[in-house]
Amino acid sequence: MIPYKHEPFTDFSIDKNRNDYLEGLKTVEAYLGQDYPLIIGGERVTTEDKIVSFNPSNKEETIGRVSKSNKDLAEKAMQSADEAFKTWKKVKPEVRADVLFKAAAIIRRRKHEFSALLTKEAGKPWNEADADTAEAIDFLEYYGRQMLRLKDGMHVESRPGEDNRYSYIPLGVGVVISPWNFAFAIMAGTTAAAMVAGNTVLLKPASTTPIVAYKFIEVLEEAGMPKGVVNYIPGPGAEVGDYLVDHPNTRFISFTGSKEVGLRIAERSSKVNEGQIWMKRLIAEMGGKNTMVIDKDGDLELAAQSIVKSAFGFSGQKCSAGSRAVIVEDAYDQVLERVIELTNELTIGDPVDQNNYMGPVIDGNSYKKIMDYIEIGKGEGRLVAGGDGDDSKGFFVNPTVFADLDPKARIMQEEIFGPVVGLMKAKDFKEAIDIANNTEYGLTGAVITNNREHLEYAREEFHVGNLYFNRGCTGAIVGYQSFGGFNMSGTDSKAGGPDYIPLHMQAKITSEMF
Ligand code: NAD
């Protein structure tokens, strides 16, 4: 087996790559507007009621209509996952891993089609879509290899006349609930980790991006996944989500999404319901309010570039997005001026056009929420770029910068999840780190400085799960920068990390006397 290496990003300045992407787009355009069923125990189930997935750049364009699960169908899916668990848990880890490796190979061959689908369904510009697809491939390749490492368990000591073995066994049926912002990578990664560990899965993808999830299940089937191992049941979070979270047969929940929903799941999943014989395990990766800290001894051009890229890449809709920058006083004016210049150079529009740096935000609710925060920001700080949007055709918000904010301002504390960044001054580096730590979150952060002492100070004191030096705070790579946060950002279950798979398993000791 070749060692794991992350999937390279596509260089779209090369003609062949551009043409391959445009071919992918044609493939996707040919299947827009179709109907998709649920997949329960390998069977296609069609319902009258549909979730409509539309293009956030163009509300008139339907990506597809997906059958909608309800409590009865969720129950049916649970029964099928329970049944499939009896055999899947006995399938050798090598065989389970092979399903992931083959799925990765299939996706790699159809890479640009998947990326083009993300451009259409999630509004991702080419490079962002390409990174999402690459990350999905990485999760499959990485988790497959991690499972192979764990298949013989861990080493424990044995005394003379005694044989002790430490092995991992699967948990049972897992409910995987995924967000729309890494509609492919997070959905595929959380599903793949659960199944390769020998569990069966009920996958409830985000309602705004269900088509890419359907296409992924088709890939798993083509790669040899037996029926019922992953069941595809999109549906309303409140109905299907609550039902499955409460279900006594649910053994674990792997959730990625907002703090509000994560906390609701934490509370509900801790309650023991009738017939339940275990404590449910919860993996929850939630929101962030991530800070770029800029020191006076840093490369200030790098600082401004990193602030803009971290704030506005994929319209600020990454959980890792840098939505605030705290700048040491002496560097403040220079960095602010350059951030404004760079922001005003950004191009916004339909991401199908390769020249657009930023596409739309995901939907009308999100647009409204972001515009409301912009109004709040106008009362809290000085608007220096953007501040407006256009939702006539799609949901476009211009990249927005507020300056001179107070560290306790709402737009410096609450996750906006859009292209809005707040800047403020700190009197020195230590104060900047204190401010960076002043939210309830702890997901990502970055420090720009050439001062070694300050880097070491930040290494110890900046309390985030993913801390970056002299670069932006987005763009974690599977197997390199395992991802997950502290405090209200979740359970710090590092996705793409060496100890992620065991979260989906339980360790068993057998001790035999000879
Ligand atoms: P969301 O919480 O609105 O939805 C996430 C998923 O939960 C969706 O599938 C949704 O349908 C489902 N859901 C809604 N109500 C539910 C309920 N009562 N029970 C069970 N499931 C329910 O989040 P979103 O808008 O899809 O994603 C954006 C959020 O996700 C942001 O807060 C972002 O920071 C966070 N996020 C975190 C990470 C991370 O790794 N920490 C990664 C990506 C996104």
Side-chain angles (χ1 to χ4, degrees):
M1 158 111 349
I2 51 169
Y4 170 77
K5 210 169 147 217
H6 80 91
E7 183 69 13
F9 298 126
T10 309
D11 179 352
F12 289 115
S13 67
I14 296 171
D15 278 351
K16 171 164 185 338
N17 292 342
R18 290 194 43 232
N19 290 335
D20 286 351
Y21 183 90
L22 292 169
E23 275 303 311
L25 203 54
K26 271 196 209 148
T27 307
V28 171
E29 274 165 352
Y31 59 64
L32 289 183
Q34 289 183 6
D35 283 358
Y36 296 85
L38 309 173
I39 306 176
I40 299 177
E43 273 174 44
R44 270 51 184 170
V45 178
T46 302
T47 62
E48 283 289 305
D49 225 4
K50 305 274 195 243
I51 295 171
V52 180
S53 170
F54 63 87
N55 179 350
S57 302
N58 175 7
K59 302 177 228 181
E60 305 295 310
E61 186 172 68
T62 300
I63 307 303
R65 279 178 303 272
V66 182
S67 283
K68 202 192 250 183
S69 181
N70 53 29
K71 283 183 195 166
D72 290 345
L73 290 165
E75 179 56 39
K76 192 169 169 210
M78 173 57 87
Q79 285 168 17
S80 125
D82 253 337
E83 196 52 36
F85 180 61
K86 292 180 191 151
T87 44
W88 181 243
K89 69 179 176 188
K90 297 210 185 288
V91 171
K92 278 199 207 151
E94 291 88 334
V95 177
R96 300 196 305 246
D98 277 345
V99 175
L100 268 55
F101 297 140
K102 181 151 185 193
I106 296 167
I107 294 165
R108 201 176 276 115
R109 285 196 282 274
R110 290 169 52 191
K111 192 170 176 174
H112 299 299
E113 176 202 330
F114 272 104
S115 301
L117 177 56
L118 290 165
T119 299
K120 285 281 188 183
E121 192 173 32
K124 290 211 167 191
W126 290 27
N127 61 334
E128 300 286 352
D130 182 61
D132 196 335
T133 306
E135 192 175 356
I137 295 171
D138 287 347
F139 277 131
L140 293 164
E141 296 281 4
Y142 184 78
Y143 289 148
R145 283 171 178 75
Q146 288 301 317
M147 189 61 234
L148 295 182
R149 284 194 185 182
L150 292 168
K151 70 183 170 53
D152 299 321
M154 300 288 247
H155 174 76
V156 284
E157 304 304 331
S158 296
R159 292 166 297 191
E162 177 189 67
D163 175 48
N164 296 326
R165 293 186 200 172
Y166 185 114
S167 53
Y168 284 112
I169 61 169
L171 287 170
V173 177
V175 176
V176 172
I177 302 172
S178 56
W180 51 265
N181 71 331
F182 282 85
F184 194 9
I186 293 180
M187 177 276 304
T190 48
T191 301
M195 70 178 273
V196 79
N199 306 292
T200 51
V201 173
L202 302 173
L203 170 62
K204 201 215 81 57
S207 299
T208 37
T209 54
I211 310 294
V212 64
Y214 184 88
K215 297 274 171 196
F216 175 62
I217 308 296
E218 283 185 331
V219 168
L220 289 176
E221 290 177 332
E222 188 184 338
M225 175 189 74
K227 290 182 180 15
V229 170
V230 179
N231 300 276
Y232 170 77
I233 45 164
E239 186 184 346
V240 175
D242 281 353
Y243 182 75
L244 291 175
V245 165
D246 296 347
H247 203 293
N249 294 19
T250 294
R251 182 63 186 83
F252 70 99
I253 298 146
S254 175
F255 167 79
T256 314
S258 61
K259 181 192 92 176
E260 289 69 25
V261 176
L263 291 182
R264 180 187 175 92
I265 292 176
E267 198 179 330
R268 293 186 83 106
S269 64
S270 67
K271 189 170 177 302
V272 177
N273 289 309
E274 206 185 320
Q276 186 179 327
I277 56 164
W278 46 58
M279 291 167 71
K280 289 173 189 162
R281 200 179 281 181
L282 174 62
I283 298 168
E285 290 304 314
M286 310 179 336
K289 188 70 191 173
N290 312 304
T291 313
M292 298 280 315
V293 170
I294 314 300
D295 197 8
K296 65 177 171 19
D297 299 329
D299 174 341
L300 300 190
E301 177 60 22
L302 172 70
Q305 298 271 1
S306 304
I307 291 171
V308 169
K309 188 163 181 257
S310 303
F312 302 131
F314 186 40
S315 308
Q317 301 173 107
K318 301 182 189 182
C319 44
S320 55
S323 63
R324 35 187 232 157
V326 181
I327 304 163
V328 171
E329 193 159 72
D330 301 352
Y332 187 76
D333 291 341
Q334 192 182 332
V335 173
L336 174 61
E337 193 182 319
R338 189 69 185 123
V339 165
I340 296 169
E341 268 171 26
L342 290 169
T343 303
N344 288 333
E345 283 167 16
L346 299 178
T347 45
I348 293 101
D350 191 333
V352 157
D353 179 349
Q354 191 198 351
N355 298 316
N356 284 329
Y357 176 83
M358 243 176 66
V361 298
I362 193 68
D363 62 9
N365 287 341
S366 186
Y367 179 87
K368 182 173 180 319
K369 179 178 162 201
I370 298 164
M371 295 313 282
D372 286 350
Y373 269 114
I374 289 176
E375 283 313 305
I376 293 169
K378 286 177 185 167
E380 290 183 327
R382 181 161 61 97
L383 177 68
V384 291
D388 53 353
D390 177 1
D391 65 347
S392 51
K393 186 168 182 224
F395 301 103
F396 295 94
V397 180
N398 282 317
T400 297
V401 183
F402 287 102
D404 308 344
L405 285 153
D406 182 89
K408 288 287 179 195
R410 279 187 66 191
I411 63 162
M412 292 297 262
Q413 292 291 321
E414 297 171 21
E415 187 183 47
I416 300 171
F417 224 56
V420 180
V421 65
L423 271 55
M424 64 161 294
K425 230 181 243 182
K427 73 175 178 337
D428 56 23
F429 187 76
K430 187 171 173 306
E431 186 183 83
I433 297 292
D434 286 345
I435 296 168
N437 285 333
N438 80 354
T439 75
E440 61 179 346
Y441 295 107
L443 193 49
T444 76
V447 174
I448 307 282
T449 183
N450 290 318
N451 181 321
R452 173 55 50 189
E453 238 175 78
H454 286 178
L455 286 175
E456 294 313 315
Y457 181 80
R459 201 188 294 276
E460 273 186 30
E461 301 296 333
F462 197 160
H463 195 60
V464 290
N466 284 59
L467 178 59
Y468 301 103
F469 293 160
N470 290 319
R471 51 162 285 183
C473 58
T474 59
I477 303 279
V478 171
Y480 296 68
Q481 292 105 10
S482 320
F483 192 81
F486 302 155
N487 297 347
M488 284 298 174
S489 294
T491 50
D492 191 40
S493 337
K494 285 276 188 281
D499 50 8
Y500 189 69
I501 297 290
L503 300 173
H504 305 74
M505 308 188 84
Q506 50 200 341
K508 180 172 184 175
I509 285 276
T510 53
S511 181
E512 181 176 356
M513 299 307 292
F514 296 128

